[in-house]
Amino acid sequence: MVDCIILAGGLSGELTAQEEVPNKALLKIDHQEMVRYVLETYRRVHEIGRIVLVGPVDKFNFLQEDYSLEMVPEGDSLLDNLVAANRFLKTENPVLISTADIPLVSPAAVEDFLQQCSPYDHDFYYPIVSREDCEKKFPGVRRTFVPLQEGIFTGGNIFLVNPVRIEPAVPLLRKFLEYRKNPLKMVSLLGTGFVLRALTKKLSISSLEARFNDLLNIKARAIISRYAEISFDVDKEDDLRLVRQILGNLHEQ
């Protein structure tokens, strides 16, 4: 059994202003809020127990009418929200952490990820998706990729953690979260040599795992996922337009 934290705090900006909503998770897709697609997926995954949503509680209270959902008020940053939710959960189960802006995520994608993580004997699991799978699923969509020995990959928007390892790793995690949209800057936190190896395609998954282990004193593992929807978050107007097209077509079938 795993528990789940959905991070929906601080999600405002140009897109929310344009769509006239107070939080990105509340963007409307085919007449319902984007966060509902995420919630529907997670409640259909048998392995997931409790679900906690972090965000402006007054804007999300209405969701509790339809979902077994616990709420935690947002803090000043994404990482503060993660720590607050983890303290609220007080769980010994592994914690699946997710953003609230991945409406295309599917139960099959999450179940596959959790199955590959089993038996949950590491502290940190992070899904990566190949460029080939991303471009096959979403032709023409721009994502940032990093060349590795095993292929060219982008990162996902969910990860699985051992809850006792979250707070000790906060100082370094804060930097990683700051650079999460720029994989090369993220790699730079591992050391100058890692950037050079990344640029020359000499960086391997196993070397990245080992470096994370050393920096954070954890057992980390990358999970190669064939489900490109894990890596697709709604950041731009083009993303929102594509998601509305995909989900609108599904509902018409």
Side-chain angles (χ1 to χ4, degrees), residues 4-9 23 25-26 35-36 38-39 50-57 59-61 63-64 68-74 81 85 88 98 100:
C4 179
I5 294 172
I6 299 175
L7 299 171
N23 183 287
L26 298 175
V35 68
R36 286 187 182 272
V38 180
L39 287 167
R50 296 168 65 192
I51 300 177
V52 173
L53 186 143
V54 189
V57 172
K59 301 294 191 299
F60 289 97
N61 271 333
L63 293 169
Q64 291 179 305
S68 178
L69 182 66
E70 299 170 85
M71 309 283 289
V72 173
E74 66 179 327
N81 292 342
F88 175 84
S98 168

Side-chain angles (χ1 to χ4, degrees), residues 169-196 203 208 211-212 214-216:
V170 161
L172 187 59
L173 283 176
R174 194 177 300 276
K175 293 181 181 179
F176 275 106
L177 289 170
E178 180 183 349
Y179 294 154
R180 67 188 183 279
K181 298 296 184 181
N182 190 324
L184 280 179
K185 279 191 174 183
M186 190 179 292
V187 170
S188 73
L189 295 173
L190 305 177
T192 305
F194 279 82
V195 176
L196 181 61
L203 193 59
L208 285 171
R211 184 59 173 156
F212 269 102
D214 291 341
L215 283 174
L216 298 174

